[in-house]
Amino acid sequence: ISSPQTMPAEPSISPEELWFKLETSVAEGQSGISGQLPLLQQLSSLLQIEIVQLDEGHDPLGRPHIKACLEHLHTLDTILSLTPRSVIVQFSRHPQPAVGSHRVWAADALAHLVSLNCEVID
């Protein structure tokens, strides 16, 4: 979604703190979706930074955010299953289901892991 050159500087956050905040918002169900967006954006940026900094031949599990993300796949699965509120769109008078930005950013985090050819994802 963003290239390493255009990524904003992210404040330092430990994987434990990031996943604690994500799991707390997931526990809130649909009402916690809005709180997930900035956390998932930050996760995606941190994963991308770690992937860019990863030396060829080194184990990606040595990178803290990559490792934590692989350990929390169940949380990403739950995030993807959270249905956002319906929205009114121009082409219909009836509310339509939204995709949900939280789903887009969770899928982006998974795409980063897929790019590493992680066996856990395959």
Side-chain angles (χ1 to χ4, degrees):
I1 291 188
S2 61
S3 68
Q5 297 82 14
T6 61
M7 285 188 302
E10 294 290 340
S12 180
I13 185 169
S14 71
E16 295 80 15
E17 182 182 357
L18 179 64
W19 284 101
F20 175 78
K21 289 179 178 181
L22 269 172
E23 289 176 342
T24 301
S25 70
V26 167
E28 295 172 9
Q30 189 179 22
S31 64
I33 289 175
S34 62
Q36 294 168 12
L37 183 58
L39 297 170
L40 290 166
Q41 289 171 323
Q42 186 171 25
L43 172 63
S44 181
S45 292
L46 291 166
L47 289 174
Q48 189 169 9
I49 290 167
E50 287 188 354
I51 289 169
V52 168
Q53 294 173 347
L54 191 62
D55 293 326
E56 192 168 325
H58 285 86
D59 184 8
L61 293 178
R63 304 299 298 178
H65 287 283
I66 292 172
K67 181 179 179 182
C69 193
L70 288 168
E71 292 171 349
H72 290 88
L73 291 175
H74 61 283
T75 304
L76 289 177
D77 182 51
T78 303
I79 289 168
L80 289 168
S81 70
L82 288 174
T83 305
R85 62 179 176 75
S86 295
V87 294
I88 302 295
V89 293
Q90 290 179 332
F91 59 83
S92 176
R93 292 185 210 170
H94 305 289
Q96 301 294 313
V99 171
S101 297
H102 66 293
R103 289 175 167 168
V104 173
W105 286 101
D108 189 60
L110 288 170
H112 288 307
L113 298 177
V114 168
S115 75
L116 292 172
N117 296 318
C118 293
E119 291 180 18
V120 176
I121 301 296
D122 292 338

